[in-house]
Structure formats: structure tokens, C-alpha cells
Amino acid sequence: MLSDVAVDHQEKAYALLKADADKILRLIKVQMDNLTMPQCPLYEEVLDTQMFGLSREIHFAVRLDLISEEEGKSILDNLEKQLNVLHEAAQNS
């Protein structure tokens, strides 16, 4: 059985990772709205760097048993889906 402290740490870890994913989404949305298009190397560089950083954070949290691999995969998959929607909207406008 997990202690209340362990459960609290797990909930905080998940919330922090989800917040980081949301920050990436907002960053990319601002970049697409104001600065560059998805075909721009700068856009791709920022996105790749941010996604790599988040994946490393998730990997670290999984190794500490703060989140499950499935939860980590879900965070990344959800972010990628949202980014694809943004990308498609930018191309259709």
C-alpha cells in the first residue's frame, strides 16, 4: 500500500508533467500565431527541443515510479494530437 506522501508525490508529478505539456502547446500556438509557420526550421527546432525535454522528464518520473509508463505515454500522445490539430489549422488558414 502506498503512503499518503507517495500518492501526493505521484499526483504532483503527473500534474507538473501535464502542466509542462500544456506550456509546450501554448508556446507552439503563440509561435504559430505570431512568428513562424510549421515549415520553418525554427518552429521545428523549438518543437523538437521541447518534446525531447518533456519525454526526458516523463522518463525520469517513470523511473522514480511517480507515474506509470502508460500515463507518460498518454501525456505525450495527447500533446502530439493537440499539436497536430494546431498544425492542420495553420495549414488550412
Side-chain angles (χ1 to χ4, degrees):
M1 183 170 114
L2 291 173
S3 71
D4 290 343
V5 172
V7 170
D8 186 50
H9 286 320
Q10 289 172 332
E11 290 171 355
K12 283 182 182 176
Y14 185 83
L16 287 171
L17 291 168
K18 182 73 178 86
D20 284 350
D22 291 343
K23 274 192 253 180
I24 293 170
L25 185 62
R26 285 192 308 274
L27 171 71
I28 296 303
K29 184 171 182 350
V30 166
Q31 189 176 9
M32 289 175 79
D33 287 347
N34 299 306
L35 303 172
T36 58
M37 294 306 296
Q39 300 83 3
C40 174
L42 176 62
Y43 166 86
E44 291 179 11
E45 182 73 24
V46 169
L47 181 57
D48 288 349
T49 300
Q50 294 294 318
M51 292 297 288
F52 178 76
L54 180 61
S55 71
R56 300 312 306 152
E57 286 181 52
I58 288 171
H59 179 70
F60 185 68
V62 168
R63 288 178 58 199
L64 290 175
D65 289 325
L66 293 173
I67 65 168
S68 69
E69 283 190 48
E70 293 78 23
E71 288 171 315
K73 184 170 175 12
S74 174
I75 290 170
L76 286 173
D77 288 348
N78 187 40
L79 177 57
E80 286 177 3
K81 285 177 190 170
Q82 292 178 351
L83 288 168
N84 284 335
V85 168
L86 279 180
H87 184 79
E88 287 176 20
Q91 287 188 324
N92 293 331
S93 60

